[in-house]
Amino acid sequence: MLVEGFNEILYWVSVGLLLFTVAAFIDAAVRREDAYRAADKHTKGFWLIILGIAVAVNLFLGVMSFLPILGLIATIVYFVDVRPALKQVSGGRGPRRRGSSSDGPYGPWNGGR
């Protein structure tokens, strides 16, 4: 019974790790190629290969091997170092706020009324 519980925990950890890696791969795929060069973070192809290998390793080997840990490290490096640099270079600070064409930096401009 204890072994079954441990196996279930490992299964859910493996699924979570796979989802984390897939999210990093998708995020790397939707970023622009020139943003990688501007942020000086290798190339888009490099990160797609590294994260793609990490997804494949997590999919086929599970958690109980050394290679998924290397994939986890690459995924963490992408999320902690590369992704913020890409967002800074691209100017992505979240969803854009839509306002009137007369809105200034501190709110709407009413023409001195």
Side-chain angles (χ1 to χ4, degrees):
M1 183 160 153
L2 185 61
V3 173
E4 290 175 12
F6 183 70
N7 285 337
E8 186 172 344
I9 290 172
L10 281 181
Y11 170 76
W12 287 111
V13 167
S14 178
V15 168
L17 184 59
L18 179 64
L19 291 175
F20 184 55
T21 309
V22 167
F25 181 79
I26 291 171
D27 187 73
V30 299
R31 301 284 175 181
R32 295 184 352 213
E33 170 68 32
D34 59 340
Y36 287 89
R37 289 189 307 266
D40 198 28
K41 299 293 180 185
H42 289 285
T43 63
K44 182 176 184 174
F46 172 82
W47 283 106
L48 288 177
I49 289 170
I50 294 295
L51 295 171
I53 290 171
V55 167
V57 166
N58 286 329
L59 188 62
F60 295 117
L61 292 182
V63 177
M64 294 301 292
S65 178
F66 181 69
L67 291 176
I69 294 173
L70 294 176
L72 175 63
I73 292 170
T75 304
I76 290 171
V77 166
Y78 178 80
F79 270 116
V80 171
D81 183 39
V82 177
R83 186 171 183 248
L86 294 176
K87 287 176 89 172
Q88 184 179 18
V89 167
S90 300
R93 295 184 184 150
R96 290 186 179 248
R97 186 182 66 122
R98 300 208 184 250
S100 171
S101 62
S102 65
D103 283 354
Y106 304 109
W109 184 71
N110 60 9
R113 290 181 242 157

